[in-house]
Amino acid sequence: MRRLILMRHSKTEATNPLGDKARHLTPRGVQEAKEAGLELKSLGVQHALVSTATRTRETFAATGLDIPAEFQDALYFEGTETMLQRISETDDDVDCLLVIGHNPTIASLAAELAYAGDRRAADELQCWYPTSAFTAFEADGDWAEMVSVRLQQVRRPR
């Protein structure tokens, strides 16, 4: 069994003179990421895929997870198909994978994966996926062919 966790970056500053990709976390965002990190540790995360944007890198750092991470440009500007492709390329020695990205991609993929098992939860995920939120899914098979994907947990910041 595999566990996939999709997380939206934490709360950020509204703008940055260097552009959207350079936006930093706010103090509230750092705190929310730390709180999420405590829960993520208990889920046994082993590896992370993280967008190269400043806010996703800072979110990952603030979680305090001491795990290998791959920082990928494609997770910043590509959509759900690209994200699924990157997930499918994960080494099968990894049983629990964290992906930290952006909306609308994170919420769309979470809703897509939840849809078969819980249409109401899928709709809610698509409509309400705040910063620092994450969803955990369980699936059978390897990363390239996840089957029987089941929504396990939805976590939104307090």
Side-chain angles (χ1 to χ4, degrees), residues 77-97:
F77 56 83
E78 299 290 334
T80 57
E81 287 183 31
T82 298
M83 189 169 284
L84 279 171
Q85 177 62 39
R86 295 301 189 258
I87 291 166
S88 76
E89 296 166 357
T90 301
D91 189 299
D92 283 328
D93 290 340
V94 174
D95 292 323
C96 186
L97 176 67

Side-chain angles (χ1 to χ4, degrees), residues 26-148:
T26 63
R28 175 179 143 201
V30 172
Q31 182 59 40
E32 288 177 352
K34 286 180 182 178
E35 291 169 5
L38 295 174
E39 293 181 53
L40 291 167
K41 285 177 189 172
S42 72
L43 294 175
V45 178
Q46 298 169 293
H47 192 82
L49 302 178
V50 182
S51 160
T52 54
T54 299
R55 61 190 175 273
T56 49
R57 287 174 172 269
E58 290 178 351
T59 297
F60 176 71
T63 64
L65 295 170
D66 186 22
I67 60 172
E70 295 176 53
F71 299 94
Q72 301 182 1
D73 278 330
L75 298 179
Y76 174 72
F77 56 83
E78 299 290 334
T80 57
E81 287 183 31
T82 298
M83 189 169 284
L84 279 171
Q85 177 62 39
R86 295 301 189 258
I87 291 166
S88 76
E89 296 166 357
T90 301
D91 189 299
D92 283 328
D93 290 340
V94 174
D95 292 323
C96 186
L97 176 67
L98 169 66
V99 180
I100 302 177
H102 310 269
N103 268 357
T105 303
I106 288 287
S108 293
L109 183 54
E112 184 179 320
L113 293 174
Y115 185 78
D118 189 338
R119 291 180 181 178
R120 177 172 281 170
D123 186 51
E124 188 175 296
L125 288 168
Q126 186 69 46
C127 295
W128 183 41
Y129 210 102
T131 54
S132 299
F134 69 77
T135 50
F137 297 89
E138 290 182 340
D140 298 321
D142 59 21
W143 291 111
E145 296 180 16
M146 292 187 301
V147 293
S148 302

